[in-house]
Amino acid sequence: MPAAAQGAEVAIIGGGLAGIVAAYELMKLGLKPVVYEQGRIGGRLRSQPFQGAEGIIAELGGMRFPISSTSFYHYVDLAGLETAPFPNPLDPASPSTVIDLEGEIAYIEGEHDLPPLLREVQEAWGAALEAGADFAALQAAIRARDVARLKEIWNALVPLWDERTFYDFVASAAAFQKLSFRHREVFGQVGFGTGGWDSDFPNSMLEILRVVATALDDHQRLIVGGVEQLPRRLWAHAPACQHWPAGTSLNSLHGGAPRPGVIRLSRASSDKIAVTDRWGDTRLYPAVLATCQSWLLTTSISTSEELFSQKLWMALDRTRYMQSSKTFVMVDRPFWRERDAQTNRYRMSTTLSDRLTRGTYLFDNGPDRPGVICLSYSWMSDAMKVLPLSADQRVNLMLGALKSIYPELDLTQHIVGDPITVSWENDPGFLGAFKGALPGHYRYNRRMYCQFMQSELPPAERGIFLAGDDISWTPAWAEGAVQTALNAVWGIMHHFGGATDPANPGPGDLFDRIAPLKLLD
Ligand SMILES: Cc1cc2nc3c(=O)[nH]c(=O)nc-3n(C[C@H](O)[C@H](O)[C@H](O)COP(=O)(O)OP(=O)(O)OC[C@H]3O[C@@H](n4cnc5c(N)ncnc54)[C@H](O)[C@@H]3O)c2cc1C
C-alpha cells in the first residue's frame, strides 16, 4: 500500500465471515476497517448456546465444512480451532442412519450395506455426472490444478447447463431414464452425502455441478465449540500489520464493538461514499465494502441507484434466496449410542425422512455432557411450512413425525432446557438463508462476482465493493464468503493504488487468465 493510504478508513457493512475476513486482511495491509453490524458478529455463522448448560450449542447457520474449502480452513487454522468429522447420514461419524421414505424404514450401520434401491440411485447419479458433465476429467483437472484444462471443460458446460434445472439433468440422464420415477424421488430425498437434494431441483444445474465438482458435499467437518468462534477469534486476533502497532486487532481498532447497522449509502463526492447508520450518524469513506445479502441494499439500506449500473442492480435484485429452518433440542445424554436390547439396533439414528423433519442430526458432546439433536433441518417449502410457528409448536410437530419412525423411543424423556429454532427468511437482517441460482442466472452471478475489477467502471460506480457467499459461485458455503472477501480486498488495495508482490499475485492480477466465461448479454 502506498504510504499516503496507510490508515485510510474503509467501511465494511456486515460482520459476518466475509466482512470480518476482509476487515482482518485490510487491517494487515495498514488500512483502517470500520465494521458496521446490525446484529451480532458472525452473521450466518451463529452458534447459539443452550441456556443452563456450558458450551452446548446449536449451529443455526453453517455447520458442516468440507475439507475442500481451503480458504475457509486457512482461517480456521489461523484461529486455532479444533474440528471433528460431521455426523452426516451414511458417514462413519454417525453410528447409524435411518432412511424413512413412504413409510418404509431402512436402518443402515456402516457404509457398505446400502439397500439395493439406494445403491442403484447412487450408481445412476455417478453415471449421469460422467455422461453429462465429463466429471472424471473435471475432477482430475481440479486435482492437478490444471487451470487451462479445467476452464476448457467448464466453459463448455456453462452454456449447456446454465439455463437448465438440476431436475432436468436428472430426468434427462440416460442412467436415470432406465430406472423408475421412484429412483428420482429417492435421489431427491436422500442425495448422496447430506440429503434433501430435491429442494435444489429447480436450481440451475451449474449450481449443483459446482458443489459436486469441488467436493463441497464430501468429507465435511464441524468446528468443535461452534463455528461462530471463527469470526470472533479473527476479530480479537492481533496479527503483524503494516502501519499499525503490535497488538492491534479489529477489536482494538473498534474500541470493543462494531458500529451500528447501516440505513443509507450514497455518493458524497467523486472520491467519497457516505455511510449513515441507524442513529443517523453519517461518515464519509473513500471505499466501502457491502457484505450483507444483496436484497438488503434495497430493503433495509437506502442505497443510491447511481452506485451500481442498472445491469448490476438487475443481478442484485434477481438474486434468489432459499429458505431454511432448523429446530434443535438439548437432551440429557447421547442416548443414540445405546443399543435397544430387543433389536440390537441403536436407539436413534441420523435420519433422513420424507416427513416434515427431512434431516435429523445427532451431536454428541461426550458421554458426560448433554447431547444436541437437530430435530429438523429443512429448506424451501419444508421450511415455509413451519415459518409462522413458535419453537414449541415446531418441536411438537417434529416429535410427532419422529414418533412414526421411532415408535419405541420416548424422546420427551430426554429433552432438557429450551428448544432453539431459526427461520432465516424471517430475519430482516438476512431475508433468506442463502442464494440458490435459478436457470439463466449465470450472467447475474458473473456481474456480481466480477465487480471487484473496477478499472473499467464509470467513476461514479467505483469505490463500493461487494462480497459474501451470495456474490460467490458457491452460495451456501462459507468458502464463497472467504473467496469473495479476498477478491474485494484485492479490489480495495488496487483502488488505493496498492499492488501485490509479483511473486504472489492476487485474483485481480490473474483475472484475464482465470476470469469466468463471459456469455453474450
Ligand atoms: C441454514 C444455513 C446453513 C448453512 N450451512 C452451511 C454449511 O454447512 N457449510 C458452509 O460452508 N456454509 C453453510 N452456510 C453458509 C454460511 O453460513 C455462509 O456462507 C456464511 O456465513 C456467509 O457469510 P457472509 O459474511 O457472506 O454473510 P453473512 O453471514 O450474512 O454476513 C452479513 C452480515 O451483514 C449484516 N448486516 C445485514 N444488514 C446490515 C446492515 N444494514 N448494516 C450492517 N450490517 C448488516 C448481517 O447481520 C450479517 O452479520 C449455511 C447458511 C445457512 C443460513
Side-chain angles (χ1 to χ4, degrees), residues 17-204:
L17 187 61
I20 297 296
V21 163
Y24 180 85
E25 294 298 340
L26 291 171
M27 174 178 73
K28 280 170 61 186
L29 291 174
L31 295 174
K32 185 174 181 203
V34 180
V35 176
Y36 289 78
E37 171 52 57
Q38 62 90 36
R40 97 192 199 196
I41 286 181
R44 280 171 289 147
L45 300 184
R46 189 187 295 174
S47 313
Q48 186 70 25
F50 280 94
Q51 282 179 356
E54 265 312 299
I56 306 293
I57 53 110
E59 292 283 32
L60 299 187
M63 65 176 182
R64 42 191 172 185
F65 303 96
I67 56 170
S68 63
S69 297
T70 49
S71 323
F72 171 81
Y73 278 105
H74 165 81
Y75 291 100
V76 169
D77 292 344
L78 195 146
L81 289 166
E82 196 189 327
T83 69
F86 186 89
N88 268 320
L90 304 173
D91 188 280
S94 286
S96 60
T97 299
V98 159
I99 297 175
D100 158 59
L101 298 176
E102 294 183 348
E104 273 180 41
I105 290 177
Y107 173 88
I108 303 161
E109 255 188 72
E111 264 183 304
H112 302 296
D113 56 354
L114 273 188
L117 179 66
L118 290 181
R119 193 170 296 285
E120 285 160 20
V121 170
Q122 187 179 37
E123 285 165 7
W125 174 232
L129 281 176
E130 203 41 58
D134 209 356
F135 197 63
L138 188 62
Q139 288 211 302
I142 293 176
R143 264 192 221 106
R145 297 180 176 240
D146 184 346
V147 176
R149 177 76 182 125
L150 175 56
K151 290 197 79 63
E152 184 188 355
I153 302 170
W154 184 256
N155 289 354
L157 292 170
V158 169
L160 273 184
W161 289 108
D162 166 39
E163 291 178 321
R164 294 174 65 184
T165 64
F166 178 24
Y167 189 76
D168 185 359
F169 180 90
V170 174
S172 62
F176 275 101
Q177 281 191 342
K178 282 194 284 206
L179 303 173
S180 66
F181 176 71
R182 173 122 177 93
H183 286 82
R184 300 206 283 276
E185 266 184 312
V186 168
F187 176 67
Q189 303 288 328
V190 179
F192 275 91
T194 51
W197 278 28
D198 57 351
S199 311
D200 285 300
F201 272 165
N203 295 1
S204 165

Side-chain angles (χ1 to χ4, degrees), residues 13 18-19 44 207 210 289-297 308 312-313 315-317 319-321 433-437 441-454 464-488 516:
I13 303 171
R44 280 171 289 147
E207 281 299 89
R210 289 190 200 97
L289 170 60
T291 71
C292 54
Q293 308 248 51
S294 69
W295 284 357
L296 299 172
L297 294 169
F308 303 115
L312 187 57
W313 275 119
L316 295 169
D317 286 337
T319 292
R320 180 280 210 126
Y321 291 103
F434 33 68
K435 180 173 82 174
H441 279 199
Y442 177 86
R443 290 170 179 82
Y444 299 154
N445 269 1
R446 191 183 188 283
R447 286 176 205 166
M448 296 190 290
Y449 182 84
C450 296
Q451 192 263 358
F452 76 99
M453 297 298 292
Q454 302 205 341
I464 179 148
F465 293 83
L466 300 167
D469 68 332
D470 56 345
I471 302 303
S472 83
W473 296 103
T474 50
W477 301 99
E479 177 73 358
V482 178
Q483 288 182 356
T484 50
L486 297 178
N487 286 351

